[in-house]
Amino acid sequence: MAPIRNARVLFNSIPAPNTYPEPGKTTVYDDSRTIDLETVPLDGGFLVKTLVFSIDPYMRGRMREPSAQDSYSPPFTLGEPLANFAVGLVVRSEHSAVKMGDHIYGFLPFQEYTVVPDPAHIRPDIFRILEAKEGVPWSAYVGVCGMAGSTAHHGWHEYAHAKPGETVFVTSAAGPVGGTVVQLAKADGLKVIASAGSDEKVSFVESLGADVVFNYKKEDTRTVLQREGGIDIYWDNVGGHILEAALDAAHNKARFIECGMISAYNGEPYGPKNLTHIISKELKINGFVVRNLYPKYRDQFYKEIPPMVASGQVKYMEDRSYGLESVGEAIVSVQKGTNKGKKVVIVTENK
Amino acid sequence: MAPIRNARVLFNSIPAPNTYPEPGKTTVYDDSRTIDLETVPLDGGFLVKTLVFSIDPYMRGRMREPSAQDSYSPPFTLGEPLANFAVGLVVRSEHSAVKMGDHIYGFLPFQEYTVVPDPAHIRPDIFRILEAKEGVPWSAYVGVCGMAGSTAHHGWHEYAHAKPGETVFVTSAAGPVGGTVVQLAKADGLKVIASAGSDEKVSFVESLGADVVFNYKKEDTRTVLQREGGIDIYWDNVGGHILEAALDAAHNKARFIECGMISAYNGEPYGPKNLTHIISKELKINGFVVRNLYPKYRDQFYKEIPPMVASGQVKYMEDRSYGLESVGEAIVSVQKGTNKGKKVVIVTENK
């Protein structure tokens, strides 16, 4: 068989601090490479055809100087492909644990085909052969059944200490993390206040069962939280002014789950001025990175969530782009919030 | 016996937001009242002669409009005396649990003599008959053996999760809270970095055994913390820019114990812009109000700390003012940090 195209998306230049990445400049689609699927050496590993990539807000943080301050994720390497959570189909395998036709969930470079020379080279905390017996679409395994859903599930179980009748405020509630949190909170018997950035998103979040949903671009968050009588739990995906409003609205002994601060990723961060509430209200603020909770909650997650998604008990909204050419714009859209649901890039539907 | 003077210190007006209280205006010394110690009705309670008052930073927060936002302490009442932790001598008693000659620790109005009509009127979480068998001065029972020492002791035991070899950064380390934290941390085998606001205070903190002590007015906190390799625990008494520096210097999974934010009490608060560290470093931030920890730690505290103070194992520095006339200036001094050690007002040494 003749070599075929193996297109990639490269990390080409570092965006200036407090700016959005630029497709064509920061990230570049490159189709100059080819691969021969029958003869490419596997070195005891396996060959994967990528089906779908997850596009996540945290990726912006990896587009930085290698020398810049430590973060929970290493920086992307200039000139190399971006990488993220993906589902792929095993095309060939020399490894006993992985066979042709398996679908795998893993951390893959942004290219159409990847040789994983040895399963030791893939992160064991993420890598998983998907049985997919529930009949959920593959794209869901990079969203509500993947890292985003795990983030919601693990973080909620570890830090919410939720009691029925309490009130939680969830930001970015139409996203795959926030939307899942909304549903977990309702299942736990809480009152859910949720915000999103468009009327369409608001309608979706209402369909998830949230009690109070508002468009934060039209209604003032502080006003809504005050009118609703304050909050016991805050699920933070945004930081900045909204975090400040949540601090004002917090009840004594409220829990703040710090999951993301999208407001600080592409612009000058705003520092909330009312942190004295942390003391006077005896707040508990926990930041977390989901991978450190995998060992504790992962098996429970895969047992619980995919069946709930299959049955419709847990809903999600997905925003698909098609082809690796669309990755650059897809990355920008989750930074700007113009996506409508979990952003994924379908690399091929020919599976 | 003829009536004698019963001087008081009244809360006379609310200081403007972000300004210091003004002696003679915000707080007014008033010696117009008298009391007849032999005939004043006790209504089944007891009569206390105040010996010493504690002067604490948190008092500024009580000097506010009754309508202003909730806090952990109710506002002072305009026209009425201020109130705070004190040690007094029981002069007369009609109550079976309290006898003449007892020394009590409690929450008293700022006046020379007070009738406590019934012990039910005094806060049972604070009120205590002091046996004082250790021979520690009465003033110590409003400082290192009182609320300030409890704050350090209870907060450290509840939130530090200290492991030998870790590094803690303590601010306001010459104060009664910070100074006690320094000594508890050293006893637990930690490296202690400590800051204070004068060279004299620095010398005192060095005498407590801290490993690295600096004058934050002369040395940049961020630079010192970076040079020392970062921190695992931050004991925050100041907030603002110093909190921001501590967030930059925090190791993964560091614990932040939020005890006070003196920088935010009398000026426009500064909002740290680097709160994304909370997520990427998985920080645990706990604010606390000591009285809610009393039930858990109080007996342990009175068993452990006064003997350690008596033996010199726990040291403290005290800054005394004399007479209720000095209360206004004493309050300002702990807001500005011009006090040298735990601020107390000795009402009388005639005990």
Side-chain angles (χ1 to χ4, degrees):
Chain A
M1 189 168 146
I4 59 169
R5 184 190 72 185
N6 190 14
R8 313 179 295 166
V9 183
L10 304 176
F11 181 42
N12 187 61
S13 70
I14 297 165
N18 305 329
T19 67
Y20 289 106
E22 272 183 63
K25 184 177 163 195
T26 311
T27 56
V28 170
Y29 173 74
D30 167 54
D31 63 359
S32 63
R33 295 232 174 149
T34 61
I35 186 169
D36 187 320
L37 301 181
E38 289 177 358
T39 61
V40 62
L42 303 185
D43 297 330
F46 56 91
L47 172 64
V48 181
K49 175 181 182 178
T50 312
L51 302 181
V52 54
F53 277 111
S54 178
I55 305 293
D56 297 295
Y58 89 96
M59 293 171 71
R60 175 65 181 83
R62 301 191 61 187
M63 299 180 176
R64 66 181 194 277
E65 297 284 355
S67 59
Q69 63 191 12
D70 284 330
S71 178
Y72 54 96
S73 294
F76 291 126
T77 305
L78 279 171
E80 293 294 319
L82 304 167
N84 201 20
F85 305 94
V87 171
L89 173 67
V90 176
V91 176
R92 281 170 53 210
S93 177
E94 295 175 351
H95 197 280
S96 60
V98 179
K99 64 180 192 300
M100 193 176 74
D102 278 350
H103 286 84
I104 61 153
Y105 175 63
F107 207 80
L108 292 176
F110 274 66
Q111 47 195 30
E112 290 175 292
Y113 296 94
T114 298
V115 172
V116 181
D118 188 292
H121 283 229
I122 57 180
R123 285 174 43 184
D125 55 337
I126 293 168
F127 178 74
R128 196 171 184 94
I129 295 175
L130 299 172
E131 298 182 42
K133 53 186 184 300
E134 298 88 1
V136 170
W138 296 121
S139 59
Y141 284 96
V142 300
V144 66
C145 299
M147 188 270 277
S150 306
T151 300
H153 175 271
H154 300 4
W156 183 258
H157 284 293
E158 182 74 7
Y159 298 116
H161 306 293
K163 290 184 276 294
E166 287 191 323
T167 299
V168 60
F169 172 43
V170 184
T171 46
S172 306
V177 177
T180 307
V181 171
V182 165
Q183 295 172 84
L184 294 172
K186 284 311 300 176
D188 280 352
L190 277 75
K191 171 179 171 180
V192 176
I193 307 171
S195 64
S198 76
D199 292 349
E200 188 184 351
K201 289 179 179 178
V202 165
S203 297
F204 170 67
V205 179
E206 285 171 343
S207 79
L208 302 179
D211 301 276
V212 178
V213 193
F214 65 100
N215 179 340
Y216 69 87
K217 293 174 182 168
K218 292 183 172 178
E219 277 197 272
D220 177 57
T221 299
R222 191 176 262 99
T223 306
V224 173
L225 296 183
Q226 190 166 15
R227 186 183 70 214
E228 295 298 328
I231 62 177
D232 302 293
I233 302 171
Y234 174 47
W235 186 285
D236 192 5
N237 284 316
V238 296
H241 287 94
I242 305 298
L243 173 54
E244 188 174 78
L247 286 162
D248 277 345
H251 295 158
N252 284 341
K253 297 188 179 286
R255 286 79 69 197
F256 278 49
I257 305 173
E258 295 301 324
C259 177
M261 293 196 183
I262 190 79
S263 70
Y265 296 167
N266 301 282
E268 172 70 17
Y270 172 77
K273 295 186 192 303
N274 58 353
L275 298 185
T276 54
H277 287 314
I278 298 173
I279 301 166
S280 58
K281 297 178 178 179
E282 299 195 296
L283 304 181
K284 287 190 184 302
I285 302 179
N286 282 289
F288 79 104
V289 177
V290 66
R291 70 157 179 265
N292 296 324
L293 295 173
Y294 286 154
K296 185 166 175 184
Y297 290 107
R298 202 176 187 226
D299 288 341
Q300 179 191 350
F301 174 77
Y302 279 107
K303 205 173 292 175
E304 287 176 10
I305 299 295
M308 290 172 86
V309 172
S311 73
Q313 199 184 339
V314 166
K315 298 181 185 70
Y316 67 104
M317 184 160 64
E318 193 171 82
D319 184 339
R320 297 181 164 200
S321 298
Y322 291 88
L324 286 179
E325 304 92 320
S326 68
V327 165
E329 288 295 348
I331 288 171
V332 174
S333 77
V334 299
Q335 295 299 320
K336 293 187 173 174
T338 55
N339 58 314
K340 293 171 180 171
K342 171 66 189 127
K343 189 74 199 173
V344 300
V345 170
I346 306 292
V347 182
T348 176
E349 292 187 300
N350 176 20
K351 52 190 175 283
Chain B
M1 189 169 144
I4 59 169
R5 184 190 73 186
N6 189 14
R8 313 179 296 166
V9 183
L10 304 175
F11 181 42
N12 188 61
S13 71
I14 297 165
N18 307 328
T19 66
Y20 289 106
E22 272 184 61
K25 184 178 163 194
T26 311
T27 56
V28 169
Y29 174 75
D30 166 53
D31 63 359
S32 63
R33 294 231 175 149
T34 60
I35 186 170
D36 187 319
L37 300 181
E38 288 177 358
T39 62
V40 61
L42 303 185
D43 296 329
F46 55 91
L47 173 63
V48 181
K49 176 183 183 177
T50 313
L51 301 183
V52 55
F53 277 110
S54 178
I55 304 294
D56 297 295
Y58 89 96
M59 294 171 71
R60 175 66 181 83
R62 301 191 62 186
M63 297 181 178
R64 67 182 193 276
E65 297 285 353
S67 59
Q69 63 192 11
D70 284 330
S71 178
Y72 54 96
S73 293
F76 290 125
T77 305
L78 280 170
E80 293 293 319
L82 305 167
N84 201 19
F85 305 94
V87 171
L89 174 67
V90 176
V91 175
R92 282 170 52 209
S93 177
E94 295 176 351
H95 197 280
S96 59
V98 179
K99 64 180 192 300
M100 194 176 75
D102 278 349
H103 285 85
I104 61 153
Y105 174 64
F107 207 81
L108 292 176
F110 274 66
Q111 49 194 29
E112 291 174 291
Y113 295 93
T114 298
V115 172
V116 181
D118 188 293
H121 284 230
I122 56 179
R123 286 174 45 186
D125 55 337
I126 293 168
F127 178 73
R128 196 171 185 96
I129 295 175
L130 299 172
E131 298 182 43
K133 53 186 182 302
E134 298 87 2
V136 169
W138 296 120
S139 59
Y141 284 95
V142 299
V144 66
C145 299
M147 188 270 276
S150 306
T151 299
H153 175 271
H154 301 4
W156 182 256
H157 284 291
E158 182 74 7
Y159 298 115
H161 306 293
K163 292 183 276 293
E166 287 191 324
T167 299
V168 59
F169 173 43
V170 184
T171 46
S172 305
V177 177
T180 306
V181 171
V182 165
Q183 296 173 83
L184 293 172
K186 285 311 300 175
D188 280 353
L190 278 76
K191 172 179 171 179
V192 176
I193 306 172
S195 64
S198 75
D199 292 349
E200 187 183 351
K201 289 178 179 178
V202 165
S203 297
F204 170 67
V205 179
E206 285 171 343
S207 79
L208 301 180
D211 300 277
V212 178
V213 192
F214 65 101
N215 180 341
Y216 69 86
K217 293 174 183 169
K218 292 184 173 176
E219 278 197 90
D220 178 56
T221 299
R222 191 176 262 100
T223 306
V224 173
L225 296 183
Q226 191 166 12
R227 186 183 70 214
E228 295 298 328
I231 62 176
D232 303 292
I233 303 171
Y234 174 46
W235 186 285
D236 193 5
N237 283 318
V238 297
H241 287 94
I242 306 297
L243 173 55
E244 189 174 77
L247 286 161
D248 277 345
H251 294 158
N252 284 341
K253 296 187 179 287
R255 286 79 68 198
F256 278 48
I257 306 173
E258 296 299 326
C259 178
M261 294 196 181
I262 190 81
S263 71
Y265 297 167
N266 302 282
E268 172 71 16
Y270 173 76
K273 295 188 193 301
N274 57 353
L275 298 186
T276 55
H277 287 314
I278 297 172
I279 301 165
S280 57
K281 297 178 179 179
E282 299 195 295
L283 304 182
K284 286 191 184 302
I285 302 179
N286 282 290
F288 80 105
V289 177
V290 66
R291 69 157 180 265
N292 296 323
L293 295 174
Y294 286 154
K296 186 166 173 185
Y297 291 107
R298 201 174 189 229
D299 288 341
Q300 179 191 350
F301 173 77
Y302 279 107
K303 206 173 291 174
E304 287 176 12
I305 298 296
M308 289 171 86
V309 172
S311 72
Q313 200 184 340
V314 167
K315 299 182 184 70
Y316 67 104
M317 184 160 65
E318 193 171 81
D319 183 339
R320 297 181 164 201
S321 298
Y322 291 88
L324 287 177
E325 304 92 320
S326 68
V327 164
E329 288 295 347
I331 287 171
V332 173
S333 76
V334 299
Q335 296 299 320
K336 294 187 172 173
T338 54
N339 59 313
K340 294 171 179 169
K342 171 66 188 123
K343 190 73 199 174
V344 300
V345 170
I346 306 292
V347 183
T348 177
E349 292 188 301
N350 176 19
K351 52 189 175 281

